[in-house]
Amino acid sequence: MSDKKPSGSDLTEAALFYHQYPRPGKLEIQATKPLGNQRDLALAYSPGVAAPCEEIAKDPAKAADYTARGNLVGVISNGTAVLGLGAIGPLASKPVMEGKAVLFKKFAGIDVFDIEVDEMDVDRFVDAVAVLEPTFGGINLEDIKAPECFQIEAKLRERMNIPVFHDDQHGTAIIVGAAVRNGLELAGKKLSEAKVVASGAGAASLACLNMLVSLGVKRENIWISDIEGVVYEGREALMDEWKDKFAQKTDKRTLSEIIEGADVFLGLSAAGVLKPEMVAKMGKGPLILALANPRPEIMPEDALAVRPDVVMCTGRSDYPNQVNNVLCFPYIFRGALDVGATTINEEMKHAAVEAIAELAKEEPSDVAARAYGGATETFGPKYLIPSPFDQRLILRIAPAVAKAAMDTGVATRPIEDFSAYLDVLNRFVFRSGLVMKPIIQAASQAPKRIIYAEGEDERVLRAAQVLMEDGVAVPILVGRPDVLQARCERFGLKIRPGKDFEFINPQDDPRYRDYVDEYFACVGRDGVPPDAARTVVRTNQTVISALAVRRGDADALICGLEGRFIKHMRDIRQIIGLREGVKDLSALSLLINSRGAIFLSDTFVSENPTAEELANMALLAAEEIQRFGITPKAAMLSFSNFGSRATASSKKMREALEILWERAPDLEVDGEMHGDSALNEELRNRVMPDSKLTGEANLLLFPNLDSANIALNLLKVSTSALHVGPIMLGTAKPAHILTPSVTSRGVVNMSALASVEAETRGRALP
């Protein structure tokens, strides 16, 4: 794999634009209660607010019931050790702290105030943070340099009765602990016998080594080298009380000397520190954790070239076994907050290590396999630890941490029903806005060739660069090469036609005659003469793209950024055709908002589908939803609620339901019902207590195109939802018609979905 990164200019420009628009920063404050009338105002503020204030004054623990404190973490830094940037100060560190806040929210539903403290003195910094205890349920210290970070954390833990966690130390240590535990087990070695050599002696490195000691590695088997060389007894330069604990009585002075026979190399230092000749001297089946970013201490391919038995971990997403703090810190805080823990102790950290290590050994569930395109890794050299985007992480780590807190007596609000708690966490997984992550992960495992009809469009060009950088798809653009070149330069993109991506020039392509013959074979008996066929193939870019897919020159098609939806659909019907057993196309739309993921069908194609057509599109939609790792729960919508009105429309929905019950008895579906009944189980149970639908429906089927499309656009705007789609269902090969309002992000999402669809269909072929 390549270690190339996006060039500084285009990445910098994109990052600045991302942070500035549509409004500066990455965070905002939102109310969780209505303020729509005078009574709401009276409850929220004066005089009603006095009631919870009085309750909290009598019992401080009630703050978790009446305020946001129990789900609020302070991400606090003085900007003295910002990853990759150094001591840039508190104000310049704010974008990083906002980013950490976003990760807390996205991965674990935890709210954050980021606080940047302009103070370098340890005691004054501690004073500034300690007095904030009434505000927060926990403190995440971030990007504070060593050794001050050790002192600050220790003093705050003494003074505060809430969790204080320096993620740079302990988050990294927990993941490293899980990776080393599994790596040594895979090699048939014991922790107590392993020789560990570390390069770097900063906060993260020392925390990792302390974690390994607590897991069973002997202190005398740990060797450290830093910028002054080997850490040995009697050394005076750059030594402190935390590093002293690992000083060895030795005359060895270089990393090359101490690496011989090592079972584990832990790198938290600088690029290129570990040389291939050093790797050659390591013990049998060595484990290398080269965690410097963006370029590790040694590239995996260089290590494997001299030692094929090596197992590699890096901090990078483009190699297996990524050591990324997001694997644990959101879920550790989730578990700690949910039981009102007063601290995060060693037992809780060990519980997280165990949960991460064991998750890597779990057999992928059917849902996970579908989500990752059926190509999930299993425990082994390339899968020591789970992917940072494994949706099961919160389901394993948070309960384990919560239970450890309860077992060690630091939980002030113990969980009484862990089954109910797991159900709450499970529902959060699909409300986290991470629905597309399994699709993107699966696409990157086997990227397919996606052809774009509107290849000259800025959104397509920007998406193409992202897709290539992330390895999600192989773009083929329909467009004139001089125009593609000029627009790439104008938009500050580094990709170039013919060099970085393939293109089809509609004005001059050597396959033109073959494409004309293929097109005429499709439409010659539909009133299209040869002359007209030649003109269409020269001028209609959707036709060109569809022919490329039909002929096998591309695996999937994306079009629709320009022109009318119905014209694109006509071309796809004629050239790509329908999937076997499918009578007509339909369109599925995915909306991702604060409620989670919800699918709507048919939002773009069928004006007034019959009951049979509704049943067919429901089955196709259910199959597509499973691709996201989501179990479909379908509701047949109507203005009639379980027989309250007998009209042709409501009867049609009921008839479609009966067809589904007969054809797909395992599909969770019910109706006909109101929209609120579909999304609210309590309302539904009042009308139909024995409904075959449980919980919230995630697939809504509408009686006609008017209702589906209107609902889609109202929900999209009113809930600020991300729209993924339309997802065309029923085509013989993957082909999707987007809408003119789609963003480049939308193009990326649909490209990932098309790539996964092409891969799974390809594997299904005999």
Side-chain angles (χ1 to χ4, degrees):
M1 298 206 183
S2 170
D3 65 331
K4 289 178 68 178
K5 288 288 182 183
S7 66
S9 59
D10 59 297
L11 186 59
T12 298
E13 181 184 346
L16 292 174
F17 184 89
Y18 174 87
H19 280 80
Q20 187 174 4
Y21 298 101
R23 55 185 295 183
K26 298 189 285 282
L27 299 174
E28 67 177 359
I29 303 291
Q30 286 191 349
T32 61
K33 300 294 189 295
L35 285 170
N37 52 47
Q38 187 63 37
R39 179 169 175 78
D40 289 344
L41 185 59
L43 292 171
Y45 200 54
S46 181
V49 74
C53 290
E54 291 169 345
E55 291 297 312
I56 294 169
K58 290 186 289 186
D59 179 5
K62 291 290 185 181
D65 298 326
Y66 298 125
T67 75
R69 182 177 186 261
N71 193 51
L72 187 62
V73 166
V75 171
I76 303 180
S77 179
N78 61 6
T80 53
V82 180
L83 181 64
L85 299 173
I88 60 175
L91 184 59
S93 77
K94 190 172 180 65
V96 179
M97 302 311 125
E98 285 189 355
K100 192 68 176 278
V102 169
L103 294 178
F104 266 111
K105 187 66 175 179
K106 285 291 186 183
F107 284 90
I110 294 171
D111 295 313
V112 165
F113 288 155
D114 66 289
I115 298 178
E116 293 72 37
V117 181
D118 191 6
E119 183 56 69
M120 305 301 126
D121 180 79
V122 168
D123 289 327
R124 292 180 64 181
F125 185 95
V126 168
D127 289 341
V129 176
V131 294
L132 298 174
E133 182 169 341
T135 302
F136 296 109
I139 299 294
N140 182 99
L141 298 173
E142 191 77 14
D143 292 348
I144 302 171
K145 74 181 181 72
E148 288 87 340
C149 61
F150 303 125
Q151 301 166 324
I152 288 170
E153 184 185 44
K155 292 187 176 191
L156 285 174
R157 291 184 67 171
E158 288 178 6
R159 290 179 57 175
M160 303 183 81
N161 204 36
I162 57 175
V164 177
F165 188 83
H166 185 211
D167 182 50
D168 298 332
Q169 295 181 58
H170 307 300
T172 305
I174 286 166
I175 306 161
V176 165
V180 171
R181 178 184 177 280
N182 279 353
L184 291 178
E185 179 182 322
L186 196 65
K189 301 176 182 179
K190 297 179 180 179
L191 282 161
S192 60
E193 299 173 358
K195 177 181 178 180
V196 177
V197 174
S199 174
S205 181
L206 293 174
C208 290
L209 296 175
N210 284 323
M211 171 61 75
L212 293 179
V213 169
S214 71
L215 290 173
V217 175
K218 293 181 180 178
R219 192 180 300 275
E220 58 265 30
N221 289 343
I222 295 176
W223 298 72
I224 301 177
S225 174
D226 62 10
I227 58 174
E228 288 291 329
V230 172
V231 173
Y232 62 89
E233 289 184 6
R235 197 181 98 172
E236 296 182 359
L238 290 180
M239 294 297 289
D240 53 52
E241 60 182 288
W242 298 277
K243 203 183 297 185
D244 279 340
K245 293 189 298 184
F246 295 100
Q248 292 276 10
K249 187 175 183 179
T250 180
D251 57 359
K252 297 177 180 179
R253 296 293 182 264
T254 66
L255 176 61
S256 181
E257 292 176 282
I258 63 175
I259 196 72
E260 187 167 358
D263 299 293
V264 178
F265 171 82
L266 173 64
L268 285 153
S269 53
V273 166
L274 185 63
K275 308 300 181 184
E277 56 269 24
M278 298 181 189
V279 175
K281 296 194 291 185
M282 293 181 71
K284 181 181 178 181
L287 172 63
I288 294 178
L289 298 99
L291 307 183
N293 259 325
R295 188 174 175 85
E297 285 78 2
I298 188 168
M299 296 300 294
E301 54 268 27
D302 295 334
L304 288 164
V306 293
R307 290 294 298 271
D309 61 337
V310 76
V311 176
M312 287 290 307
C313 298
T314 70
R316 292 171 49 142
S317 61
D318 53 349
Y319 288 95
N321 299 321
Q322 182 190 13
V323 175
N324 187 326
N325 286 12
V326 81
L327 263 169
C328 68
F329 75 79
Y331 317 121
I332 289 172
F333 270 97
R334 181 72 280 157
L337 292 173
D338 289 340
V339 294
T342 56
T343 187
I344 294 176
N345 56 32
E346 288 302 306
E347 291 83 358
M348 294 162 74
K349 288 186 267 186
H350 280 195
V353 170
E354 184 76 12
I356 293 168
E358 289 303 313
L359 178 56
K361 299 177 185 177
E362 287 188 28
E363 288 292 326
S365 66
D366 291 342
V367 170
R370 287 194 300 267
Y372 287 89
T376 49
E377 288 283 356
T378 55
F379 181 60
K382 293 185 178 181
Y383 194 71
L384 288 183
I385 50 177
S387 160
F389 296 112
D390 193 318
Q391 295 170 323
R392 297 169 295 174
L393 284 165
I394 192 172
L395 305 177
R396 302 295 185 271
I397 299 175
V401 170
K403 189 174 186 305
M406 292 164 57
D407 292 343
T408 54
V410 299
T412 62
R413 299 190 305 276
I415 294 170
E416 297 180 0
D417 186 344
F418 265 89
S419 295
Y421 179 54
L422 283 170
D423 184 56
V424 171
L425 294 177
N426 197 48
R427 281 186 278 128
F428 167 76
V429 167
F430 295 113
R431 291 183 175 180
S432 63
L434 298 174
V435 176
M436 286 302 301
K437 291 300 181 184
I439 297 292
I440 292 172
Q441 177 81 1
S444 65
Q445 292 175 357
K448 294 298 181 181
R449 300 165 300 162
I450 313 296
I451 189 164
Y452 300 85
E454 295 87 6
E456 296 175 0
D457 190 286
E458 177 183 356
R459 293 163 293 178
V460 170
L461 290 166
R462 292 191 180 279
Q465 178 157 308
V466 172
L467 293 165
M468 283 187 288
E469 288 175 352
D470 295 347
V472 173
V474 180
I476 303 171
L477 276 54
V478 177
R480 295 159 292 177
D482 55 336
V483 175
L484 294 171
Q485 174 83 16
R487 292 189 178 181
C488 286
E489 293 174 358
R490 184 199 309 168
F491 303 140
L493 304 176
K494 67 176 183 179
I495 56 174
R496 295 295 181 265
K499 177 182 177 183
D500 301 301
F501 62 87
E502 185 183 342
F503 63 88
I504 293 180
N505 182 359
Q507 296 179 343
D508 182 20
D509 191 279
R511 294 165 289 189
Y512 172 69
R513 290 185 179 179
D514 294 335
Y515 275 39
V516 170
D517 292 343
E518 190 82 31
Y519 181 58
F520 184 72
C522 295
V523 301
R525 294 186 179 275
D526 292 334
V528 180
D531 287 347
R534 283 190 284 271
T535 301
V536 169
V537 174
R538 187 74 77 186
T539 59
N540 188 320
Q541 293 172 211
T542 298
V543 167
I544 296 170
S545 303
L547 288 167
V549 172
R550 179 184 173 91
R551 286 168 45 85
D553 296 337
D555 300 308
L557 159 65
I558 299 289
C559 64
L561 283 79
E562 299 171 4
R564 295 174 60 192
F565 187 94
I566 194 168
K567 289 186 176 180
H568 293 290
M569 188 169 64
R570 176 201 63 200
D571 295 331
I572 288 172
R573 268 202 189 107
Q574 287 180 328
I575 300 168
I576 293 179
L578 302 179
R579 181 174 161 183
E580 185 177 354
V582 174
K583 295 181 178 179
D584 201 0
L585 301 179
S586 58
L588 178 69
S589 287
L590 164 61
L591 291 179
I592 305 172
N593 57 26
S594 58
R595 290 187 64 91
I598 188 166
F599 295 84
L600 297 81
S601 186
D602 174 0
T603 48
F604 282 88
V605 179
S606 305
E607 291 185 20
N608 189 22
T610 65
E612 178 77 18
E613 290 168 339
L614 281 164
N616 288 336
M617 70 174 63
L619 293 173
L620 288 172
E623 177 186 315
E624 190 70 28
I625 290 170
Q626 290 176 339
R627 207 183 301 279
F628 290 83
I630 300 174
T631 300
K633 294 172 177 280
M636 313 299 293
L637 298 188
S638 171
F639 76 105
S640 170
N641 206 26
F642 295 103
S644 64
R645 297 283 295 274
T647 66
S649 175
S650 61
K651 289 177 181 178
K652 176 177 71 173
M653 300 306 285
R654 200 177 314 166
E655 184 181 342
L657 175 68
E658 291 170 356
I659 295 171
L660 286 170
W661 280 348
E662 181 180 348
R663 291 186 187 172
D666 295 333
L667 177 63
E668 199 170 319
V669 58
D670 211 338
E672 82 286 9
M673 70 178 76
H674 289 168
D676 53 359
S677 294
L679 300 178
N680 188 313
E681 187 175 27
E682 183 180 351
L683 286 177
R684 185 167 64 251
N685 286 340
R686 291 177 191 172
V687 182
M688 185 57 60
D690 61 346
S691 172
K692 295 188 178 183
L693 179 64
T694 60
E696 295 181 12
N698 54 30
L699 171 58
L700 306 181
L701 292 128
F702 294 82
N704 56 47
L705 183 58
D706 281 345
S707 57
N709 193 268
I710 290 169
L712 167 68
N713 287 295
L714 285 175
L715 284 171
K716 182 170 65 175
V717 174
S718 63
T719 65
S720 300
L722 169 65
H723 178 215
V724 179
I727 304 167
M728 294 298 295
L729 304 177
T731 55
K733 293 185 178 182
H736 299 288
I737 309 167
L738 308 187
T739 61
S741 62
V742 71
T743 63
S744 60
R745 179 185 178 191
V747 176
V748 169
N749 284 335
M750 284 305 301
S751 300
L753 187 59
S755 188
V756 172
E757 187 180 357
E759 165 64 11
T760 53
R761 288 210 202 174
R763 283 190 282 105
L765 292 175

